[in-house]
Amino acid sequence: MEDKIAELQNLIDNSQNIVFFGGAGVSTESGLKDFRSVDGLYSMKYDYPPEEILSRTFFYNHTKEFYRFYFDKLLVDGIEPNAAHKKLVELEKAGKLKAIVTQNIDGLHQLAGSKCVYELHGTVAKNRCERCHTFYNVDYVKSFKGEMPTCKCGGIIKPEVVLYEESLDQNTVDGAVNAIANADLLIVAGTSLTVYPASGLIGFFRGKNLVVINRDDNIGFVKSALFIKDKVGEILSKIVVNNVSK
């Protein structure tokens, strides 16, 4: 493991255009559940499968049940950025990290201080009334304490997250693709790389160095990458970032 961390340190030291592609595993050290691990959201028992709950059809047909799951598992209070989020801020300030592409909706990268973040699946931070299109922040939604959030006009509020049966935002995808295509080092972390179309963006990487950090095996990318099987925050916390600008 020490040899792999030393190799990662060397790759970072000698790279000037790093892109970080992260999944749910980046936020588990902050206390959020991931989706596909043995103790993840998809292994839990609900009246409906989580994949169905997190769909556009389910949101409109069973809005109250959607929000019960949403408040219980996705909009969790007291969650703070962890070592992974903080190290990425250091790398960005040093001018090495050019972009973060994330599948997460928790907003922890921005909370930590990252500036260039492409949120492929949207964010809990933005919410919109389905009737009058007024936008509300996450604090307004949280004020309903698990009940279905409604607009001042009486309309239903929908979080700006990409549900199953919905398309990714094209501008976000274009920005992510451009960043990945121009990277000289791509760090893929905390993701099983099984969620499409997001995971398909990895195919746009044309750089020399690919690193995968994940606590589970990532079949298909291990052979062509420096693979480090561990928690993302624990690994990145060992990286030394030089020349951090103020």
Side-chain angles (χ1 to χ4, degrees), residues 213-240:
I213 307 171
N214 200 39
R215 67 178 188 176
D216 300 316
D217 290 329
N218 288 67
I219 305 301
F221 283 90
V222 176
K223 293 180 180 179
S224 61
L226 167 62
F227 178 64
I228 305 176
K229 188 175 181 178
D230 208 333
K231 294 179 180 179
V232 184
E234 289 189 11
I235 296 302
L236 291 186
S237 65
K238 294 177 170 60
I239 297 301
V240 177

Side-chain angles (χ1 to χ4, degrees), residues 134-200:
T134 298
F135 276 90
Y136 291 95
N137 62 26
V138 68
D139 291 331
Y140 179 83
V141 173
K142 284 183 176 180
S143 70
F144 285 82
K145 303 185 185 301
E147 297 298 323
M148 185 175 69
T150 54
C151 176
K152 295 173 183 178
C153 77
I156 297 172
I157 293 175
K158 182 179 181 295
E160 290 285 282
V161 300
V162 180
L163 302 176
Y164 289 106
E165 303 169 349
E166 293 183 333
S167 300
L168 303 185
D169 177 74
Q170 193 59 51
N171 288 334
T172 301
V173 172
D174 290 345
V177 166
N178 183 64
I180 291 171
N182 287 287
D184 57 8
L185 170 61
L186 179 62
I187 301 174
V188 180
T191 173
S192 62
L193 295 171
T194 58
V195 178
Y196 286 87
S199 62

